[in-house]
Amino acid sequence: MTETPPPPTGSDTPASDVGPLTDLIRRQIRATGPLSVPEFMTLALQHPEHGYYRRQQAIGAAGDFVTAPEISQVFGELLGLWLVQRWIDLGQPGRVSLVELGPGRGTLMADALRAASAMPGFLPAVDLVLVETNPTLQALQAERLAAYNPRWVEALGAIEPEHPTLVLGNEFLDVLPTAQFAVVQGAWLERLVSVGEDGALSFVLGQPQTPVLPLLPPPTDGLFTELMPSLPGFFKDLSALLRPHGGAALFIDYGPAESAHGDSFQAVRNHRPVDPLTMPGAADLTAHVDFAAFATAATGGGATAHGPISQRAFLTVLGLPTRADRLAAGNPDQAAAVAAAQHRLIDPAEMGILFKVLAITSPGLATPAGFADPASAPAHNQRRPNP
Ligand code: SAH
């Protein structure tokens, strides 16, 4: 996911590797008509047997993409200190639910909790809840995080708000299915996945199926836009979790700060961009996160949204350069690798600017460091309507 894909290229994956889900999708389209992009993404990523996030070991050098916590331990450590600060802001409650969405290989949480253990009282307070659909990754998380006694749920909505709650999601929002729409002759049409005579899947435009039409801007010819239909439900679940006892959430992902129009639906396999339709179940599918829409949805749920700010600004405020210097001084033979990892995380040409950080806090909680005071921040709800 840190790769910036050029236009999709052909695939070098043998047909046998991509067969079962493509067959199933073809049959479904022939029986009931074209699929919306969210329907296609949901099948490709979450199909119980063949879905990408149900079976693939996606993350890391041997997988399909590399994420920030896999680049440097400092990333998770700084996030751990961020969590400790929010716990202090909450009044150091004796119990706190710590929820991670899509914890991957468990690296981020392991680094975060190791750093956070320096704060007396924090670890004993933590009730660790991991939201993960991939059994292979669940097993890895169980191994890495056994010392913290985690429990797993399949969705945010399955968590009971028992305590003040802290939520973390790195590269999680981009896996939420996105719908795509284009204006043709003054009307919105939806981009759908159909099947040709030759059995190949292809995009077509058809009558809108995803029920978000009232949320689209006025149809101006040539406009193309994306909307995540699960956003309202996701934020309903998030605010239901944060409201009763207070709490904060932190999301890090890639996408523009302002709502942008255009096609960001993409597929990555073996660190290379591929056509999103040619290997459902075998490639990671994502779309850019519309942070303005997220901030609007969070604000609508009664919470305060802070940011988004760039990953570069966020990690710098948290002290990445100082922490990296200290790590390099303690491990001189690793100094070049530490510097390279730091560069990758915050250089504007690498992840520094494309990746954004959005914080959400329950009413009354202090503004986290590095974020502008909400009173002086731009009013997200004045942007184009979004779910
Ligand atoms: N946060 C990790 C992994 C990011 S990849 C990191 O930074 O390295 C996305 C993660 O979300 C994976 O762990 C994937 O299995 C999980 N995932 C994907 N769809 C999900 C869903 N609908 N619910 C819960 N987890 C999901």
Side-chain angles (χ1 to χ4, degrees), residues 13 22 34 58 95 100 130 150 155 205 207 225 279 299 344:
T13 305
T22 304
R95 288 302 276 160
E100 186 176 0
L130 305 175
L205 286 174
Q207 285 309 309
T225 198
M279 48 183 72
T299 308
R344 197 157 167 201

Side-chain angles (χ1 to χ4, degrees), residues 25-97:
I25 289 170
R26 269 188 207 129
R27 277 202 307 269
Q28 185 162 335
I29 294 172
R30 284 181 177 136
T32 57
L35 298 175
S36 68
V37 175
E39 287 170 331
F40 175 79
M41 274 183 94
T42 302
L43 277 171
L45 297 179
Q46 306 294 350
H47 182 275
E49 200 181 337
H50 307 298
Y52 179 79
Y53 280 121
R54 298 293 171 131
R55 60 183 198 90
Q56 295 280 333
Q57 170 58 286
I59 310 157
D64 292 315
F65 54 88
V66 174
T67 55
E70 305 297 333
I71 292 171
S72 169
Q73 69 183 71
V74 179
F75 184 81
E77 290 168 353
L78 294 174
L79 262 54
L81 301 180
W82 192 91
L83 293 169
V84 165
Q85 187 56 53
R86 303 288 77 72
W87 178 69
I88 294 170
D89 293 349
L90 285 161
Q92 306 195 9
R95 288 302 276 160
V96 65
S97 296

